[in-house]
Amino acid sequence: DLDASLIHPRERVDVHMGRHDMLCTDCHRTRAHVIEGRAVSVSVENTHRVTCLDCHAPRPHADQRLDNHAAAVACQTCHIPEVALREATKVHWDWSAAGQDLPEDAHEYLKKKGRFVYERKLEPEYYWFDGTVDRYLLADRIRPEPPTPLNPPRGSIHAREARIWPFKVHRAVQVYDTVHDYLLVPKTVGAGGYWTDFNWDEALRLGSKASGLAYSGKYGFTQTEMFWPLTHMVEPRERALQCRSCHGEEGILDWRALGYPGDPIHWGGRQALGL
């Protein structure tokens, strides 16, 4: 094993994080040139994960009521109440708005790419997650509505290994074939590319030749969603979610959408419900 401190000397204070003076490599450890940690935008497998239990005990609280939550709630759910605390994060990208001669701003509009929406202090969305995701593959059929999930998290209230997890959901408007009903791959750069001529039809015909994906000659735009499980920006207990954050009439969780008959404080958790 490599000593991470030899790769990133402690003198590099610019990458230190939090009260404990941590470095990225304290969690993303390296073994035989393999860095632990992976993004579900790339990998659908449950390998090389970095988890809280790599360092913490499975029941780390002094309060048993909090420890009992660990059977159904990820540590991150309580300890990451918001993300993008300092710099805003992109949450929406509309390709259908590209090609217009409008004032450009990297955080709002670019003629090449369309319109963006950024948010700061973003509150997560919550879904069951077992550590793996499904994946939209080239030529998979879609429906124009509702939005097409590109990497939906796997898991449900019935999956014992799944936990309620916080997600950033990036939403977009992307080009698709209205006859074949699948997402298309436009050519963007170079001769005939969209960023050169701003002609969707030409860019899609050239993209079809490169990708091998048939293009009918008719296109439209549809909504997509990409899910990003959150595990950075962990807050200490003083700034973590509290009981009333989730339970009660003003709670942030949609219990019915998660599969419960109602708030578990009244109905009980998975074990009490026999799930």
Side-chain angles (χ1 to χ4, degrees), residues 9 68 87-88 132 134 190 199 240 256:
N68 289 342
E87 300 293 334
T132 64
D134 286 322
N199 184 312
R256 293 185 181 275

Side-chain angles (χ1 to χ4, degrees), residues 120-135:
R120 195 169 159 270
K121 293 188 176 181
L122 177 69
E123 294 183 359
E125 299 180 30
Y126 300 93
Y127 302 92
W128 289 105
F129 182 46
D130 67 5
T132 64
V133 297
D134 286 322
R135 174 74 78 239

